[in-house]
Amino acid sequence: MATVEKIRSGLIDKILTIKNKDFLLALDKLVSLSATDKELVGLTEEQKEMLKLSEEDIKNGRLISQEAMDKRNLEWLNGL
Protein backbone atom coordinates (compact mmCIF):
# COMPACT_ATOMS: atom_id res chain seq x y z
CA MET A 1 0.00 0.00 0.00
CA ALA A 2 1.28 3.47 -0.89
CA THR A 3 2.28 5.81 1.89
CA VAL A 4 0.86 9.31 2.16
CA GLU A 5 4.22 10.73 1.08
CA LYS A 6 4.33 8.56 -2.05
CA ILE A 7 0.75 9.50 -2.97
CA ARG A 8 1.45 13.21 -2.39
CA SER A 9 4.65 13.05 -4.43
CA GLY A 10 2.88 11.25 -7.27
CA LEU A 11 0.11 13.83 -7.32
CA ILE A 12 2.61 16.69 -7.40
CA ASP A 13 4.42 15.08 -10.33
CA LYS A 14 1.13 14.72 -12.22
CA ILE A 15 -0.03 18.27 -11.43
CA LEU A 16 3.24 19.68 -12.75
CA THR A 17 2.46 18.23 -16.18
CA ILE A 18 -1.07 19.73 -16.45
CA LYS A 19 -1.30 22.67 -18.87
CA ASN A 20 -5.09 23.18 -18.84
CA LYS A 21 -5.79 26.34 -16.81
CA ASP A 22 -9.47 25.55 -16.21
CA PHE A 23 -8.62 22.09 -14.95
CA LEU A 24 -5.99 23.51 -12.58
CA LEU A 25 -8.44 26.12 -11.29
CA ALA A 26 -11.04 23.43 -10.63
CA LEU A 27 -8.45 21.25 -8.91
CA ASP A 28 -7.32 24.20 -6.80
CA LYS A 29 -10.90 24.85 -5.73
CA LEU A 30 -11.42 21.18 -4.87
CA VAL A 31 -8.25 21.03 -2.78
CA SER A 32 -9.02 24.35 -1.08
CA LEU A 33 -12.49 23.18 -0.09
CA SER A 34 -11.23 19.89 1.32
CA ALA A 35 -8.29 21.31 3.30
CA THR A 36 -8.75 22.65 6.80
CA ASP A 37 -6.71 25.28 8.57
CA LYS A 38 -6.18 22.90 11.49
CA GLU A 39 -4.60 20.26 9.28
CA LEU A 40 -0.84 20.48 9.58
CA VAL A 41 1.47 18.96 7.04
CA GLY A 42 4.42 17.20 8.60
CA LEU A 43 7.83 17.39 7.01
CA THR A 44 10.07 14.41 6.52
CA GLU A 45 13.56 14.46 8.00
CA GLU A 46 14.93 14.87 4.48
CA GLN A 47 12.73 17.92 3.86
CA LYS A 48 13.81 19.46 7.17
CA GLU A 49 17.46 18.89 6.26
CA MET A 50 16.96 20.51 2.83
CA LEU A 51 15.39 23.56 4.50
CA LYS A 52 18.33 23.82 6.91
CA LEU A 53 20.78 23.62 4.00
CA SER A 54 18.81 26.29 2.13
CA GLU A 55 18.94 28.60 5.14
CA GLU A 56 22.71 28.11 5.34
CA ASP A 57 23.04 28.92 1.63
CA ILE A 58 21.10 32.15 2.13
CA LYS A 59 23.16 33.16 5.18
CA ASN A 60 26.40 32.49 3.29
CA GLY A 61 25.35 34.30 0.13
CA ARG A 62 25.28 31.18 -2.03
CA LEU A 63 22.45 32.45 -4.21
CA ILE A 64 21.63 32.66 -7.91
CA SER A 65 19.18 35.02 -9.56
CA GLN A 66 16.07 33.69 -11.28
CA GLU A 67 17.38 35.09 -14.56
CA ALA A 68 20.68 33.23 -14.18
CA MET A 69 18.85 30.04 -13.22
CA ASP A 70 16.56 30.33 -16.25
CA LYS A 71 19.60 30.77 -18.50
CA ARG A 72 21.33 27.77 -16.92
CA ASN A 73 18.21 25.64 -17.34
CA LEU A 74 17.85 26.62 -21.01
CA GLU A 75 21.48 25.78 -21.66
CA TRP A 76 21.01 22.40 -20.00
CA LEU A 77 17.80 21.67 -21.92
CA ASN A 78 19.41 22.63 -25.23
CA GLY A 79 22.27 20.26 -24.48
CA LEU A 80 19.96 17.24 -24.24
Side-chain angles (χ1 to χ4, degrees):
M1 178 174 258
T3 66
V4 171
E5 289 299 321
K6 286 183 182 179
I7 295 168
R8 182 181 294 120
S9 179
L11 285 171
I12 290 169
D13 290 343
K14 291 174 186 173
I15 291 169
L16 290 172
T17 65
I18 297 171
K19 303 291 184 212
N20 184 308
K21 182 180 177 182
D22 291 330
F23 185 86
L24 289 170
L25 287 170
L27 184 58
D28 180 56
K29 187 173 183 179
L30 177 66
V31 172
S32 295
L33 291 174
S34 66
T36 63
D37 290 343
K38 295 179 183 178
E39 189 176 328
L40 296 177
V41 176
L43 298 176
T44 65
E45 289 305 314
E46 292 83 5
Q47 290 169 321
K48 291 176 186 178
E49 183 63 27
M50 289 299 296
L51 289 170
K52 287 178 187 175
L53 293 172
S54 296
E55 289 293 326
E56 288 176 22
D57 285 340
I58 292 168
K59 287 178 187 174
N60 293 309
R62 294 187 298 258
L63 305 171
I64 185 169
S65 70
Q66 185 64 47
E67 183 179 296
M69 181 58 75
D70 291 343
K71 182 179 177 186
R72 184 184 288 181
N73 287 340
L74 283 174
E75 290 170 355
W76 178 80
L77 286 171
N78 289 330
L80 293 179

